[in-house]
Amino acid sequence: MDADDRRRLQEALLRLADGDRSAFHPVFTLCWPVVRRFTFALLRGAADAEDAAQESLLRVFARASEFDRARPALPWILGIAFHQCRTQRRRAQRRREEAWGAAGDVAGAASPEAALVQADLARAARELLAGLPPLDVETIVAAFEGAPTSTVAPATFRKRLERARERLRRAWRERHGLV
Amino acid sequence: MASSDAGHLARRARAAYERGRGRRAVVQAAPLVLLPASFAFWCAPPALAAAAALGLFLGATAFLWRGEGYGRAVLPGVLAGAPTLALPMLVRAGLGHVCHPGTCWNVCVAGCVAAGITAGLVLWWLAPRSGADRTRFLVAGTALAAATALPACSFAGLIGMGALVLGLVAAAAPALARPALRH
């Protein structure tokens, strides 16, 4: 953008800030190519550079009435575009992170085979627990949920949990021959 | 970018511009309602004070959103009308009573006319010297000065409020009429 274009942009933006709607098209025509080039350069041609350019332009117009006549127009416009690019980059980064997280969940959440194994283990655990004394079951469940019963002293709870685990291990060994 | 895309973007940009102006106008106009609304605690009937506050808010929002001469007239218009709010206090200081339509009829009505003329002259003096902006400035400024000052003249009844508007229009009318006469 040469000095003459800058001057015309400054004048048109001032008129637009004052409410002169006839200055809209001059500002749009002068502003759009600059904003587009700037965002593409900043985002290095990323896929969402076009979105960032359009969003930047919309923000420039949304804030046009706040434009201060003491400021030069071009740096003001590019400042808004820069801010928008930064926001867009952060948003893209967040999307990527969420996508990775979701991919991890899918991988951990089981293929049909893994789901079958998990269901088998759950069923075996339920059967073993059914064979244990109720106090052992209560203690193991409380430990699993991380909430020891308030009526029992911590030391007693730890002792009970140790005994319940031992009985559970023994039962598992007897039935499945493992552990 | 294809021209249809550019056209679509231009329409969105125009809508964003109007929305931005609207939001800014609402934010700037909101504090102005305190002036006429505060009169509900002092002298004016609450319904009248509320109506004047609402009128001032809507008028100021519309003028600020429209911009140019209309927008520039908002603050001068309100400031030209604001001193009238002191009128009941001045009358009470001078006569010892206020807020009773009929009791101070002559002084109150004369005061409202004087306040209207003063506000009109202030606007006339502040208005741009020429061009379409002058007319816009005077129209918007007169309307907002009237909305600001009306509750203060309500203690003189309808005649007091009419006198205020008459004073305002009498002072601003020559300036408004001059461009029309020139044409």
Side-chain angles (χ1 to χ4, degrees), chain A residues 5-98:
Chain A
D5 279 347
R6 280 184 189 217
R7 188 183 47 75
R8 284 196 296 141
L9 179 63
Q10 180 83 21
E11 286 169 6
L13 193 55
L14 278 176
R15 278 168 44 218
L16 193 65
D18 192 36
D20 181 357
R21 268 70 171 177
S22 69
F24 176 82
H25 272 287
V27 173
F28 183 82
T29 314
L30 289 164
C31 193
W32 173 232
V34 178
V35 168
R36 195 159 185 270
R37 266 202 310 276
F38 181 76
T39 50
F40 271 78
L42 211 65
L43 296 174
R44 295 194 185 87
D48 46 6
E50 181 70 30
D51 288 346
Q54 293 192 11
E55 277 301 314
S56 304
L57 190 80
L58 295 181
R59 274 175 195 272
V60 166
F61 278 100
R63 295 180 53 188
S65 49
E66 297 167 24
F67 178 64
D68 177 6
R69 60 175 52 245
R71 301 179 67 176
L74 190 61
W76 182 76
I77 290 168
L78 295 182
I80 292 175
F82 177 76
H83 183 77
Q84 184 60 33
C85 284
R86 208 171 48 182
T87 308
Q88 194 92 359
R89 205 181 277 163
R90 278 186 195 150
R91 213 179 287 159
Q93 174 75 21
R94 209 175 305 138
R95 266 204 306 270
R96 271 200 297 276
E97 283 169 8
E98 281 170 10

Side-chain angles (χ1 to χ4, degrees), chain A residues 90-157:
Chain A
R90 278 186 195 150
R91 213 179 287 159
Q93 174 75 21
R94 209 175 305 138
R95 266 204 306 270
R96 271 200 297 276
E97 283 169 8
E98 281 170 10
W100 288 336
D105 286 351
V106 169
S111 56
E113 192 186 347
L116 210 63
V117 170
Q118 212 165 354
D120 271 352
L121 282 172
R123 185 171 41 76
R126 272 198 305 274
E127 281 170 10
L128 284 180
L129 284 173
L132 291 180
L135 187 63
D136 284 0
V137 175
E138 192 185 312
T139 309
I140 288 172
V141 168
F144 186 74
E145 288 171 350
T149 50
S150 57
T151 52
V152 182
T156 314
F157 181 79

